[in-house]
Amino acid sequence: MADSIRTKKLIITGVAIAVLAGGGYGYYSYSHKSAAPAATGHEGHGNAAPSMSVIGDKVVLDAKARQLAGVQTATVEKKALTKEIRTTGKIALNETGRAYITSRVMGRVDELYVNAEGEYIAPGQAIAAVYSPDYIAAQEEYILAIDTVNKLKSASRDLVQVNNRLLEAARRKLELLGVSSDDIEHLAHTRQPSTLMTVRAQFGGTVLEKQVLPGGYIMAGEKLFAISDLSTVWLYADLYEKDVAAVKVGQEVAVTTPAYPGETFTGYVSFVNAVLDDATRTVKVRIELSNPEGKLKPNMFANATINVPLGETLVIPSSSLLDTGKRKVVFIAQGEDTFVKRDIVTGQETQGYIQVLSGLNEGDTVVTAATFLIDSQTQLGNFGSHAGHGGGNKPAATPPAAAPQSIPAPSAQPAAPQANEHSGHSGH
């Protein structure tokens, strides 16, 4: 009885093992058949992949690779470029037009004819009336000299010459006090000295600061007004370090301000600072502007544009250059599918072009689009193994190895026959 039961158990176990082995084999066959078309399709795609090859600094691309990368080229040519430098700045006073109006006599200011900052004073304009004992005494000396000359006309020749020199000295004294010629002639005609001296402006300009009030006593040489001639103004603009070499004294500058949209003021560079600002890495440039209508006011912000002619040189499009920091590289097209890396020396960049100082010849063809992609292939080396990845069969071998692992074994004992069977299939 025991032998019969043992025999039945062995039969049942064998049947179970057979069923499991058959199911595993069926699942493996189904998976293998499903993976085969996929692997075949992937391999076919690999055959249609673009072809790339790298030999040192030379990259060869077939037509499809060039199309997918979007390779474009341009011819190296000579072109006259003009560099446009844009900067901003602030309007400032013309320092050569600043001045002080002073009094040449000591006395008391009885009247003040200019009373507010911002008023314009014309040269020779009366600005104040000052009571001055020195002025009164000078007038009396002049009147006395005139009378002496008139009374002693018939005196000896030497005496007449002395009297004439005294008259000239008295007139000269009035002139040194700032009395105008018209006032002196009026005094000679009336013989009546004035108690108030009219102080006139030695310079013309706009009043920046008033330093005197009516009733105040002033000394000879004391400042009455600070003025500035605003018919010309300065613009101080910041020039970046890379643009310093391109700007020279005398270059024309176009200036615009937000206050007058659409209007352009023309000036010229009158000074370039000799010292670079270490904090901003810029150089101050002074631009002199004509301002006859007074539109440009000190402390007003402005934009400046300087056009610098660079002359005719070899140029390439800016997109064709690869700047690594240590090297400046372009790719030269040699034939339709071959591109070679070349080091060049560049100059100024403007208007979408870069000057080429050495490394290229007129008529060379350079890559202008996909330059970085081509350069990356030279860094990675031969691209063929990557391009052929689609044709490999490694992915097709993965499902058979993974398929048996997804079937749970009923016990540790029957696992060995299943593994042996799979191994036999692999050998097959």
Side-chain angles (χ1 to χ4, degrees), residues 389-405:
H389 176 70
N393 295 326
K394 291 182 180 179
T398 303
Q405 295 177 6

Side-chain angles (χ1 to χ4, degrees), residues 18 44 85 129-130 136 146 161 171 185 204 236 250 270 276 285 290 306-307 324 356 359 368 384 398-399 416 423-424:
I85 300 174
V130 178
I136 296 173
I146 293 175
Q161 290 180 350
R171 182 184 178 91
E185 294 298 331
Y236 283 103
S270 60
L276 183 78
V285 176
S290 179
I306 307 174
N307 291 315
T324 66
V356 179
T368 60
T398 303
S423 300

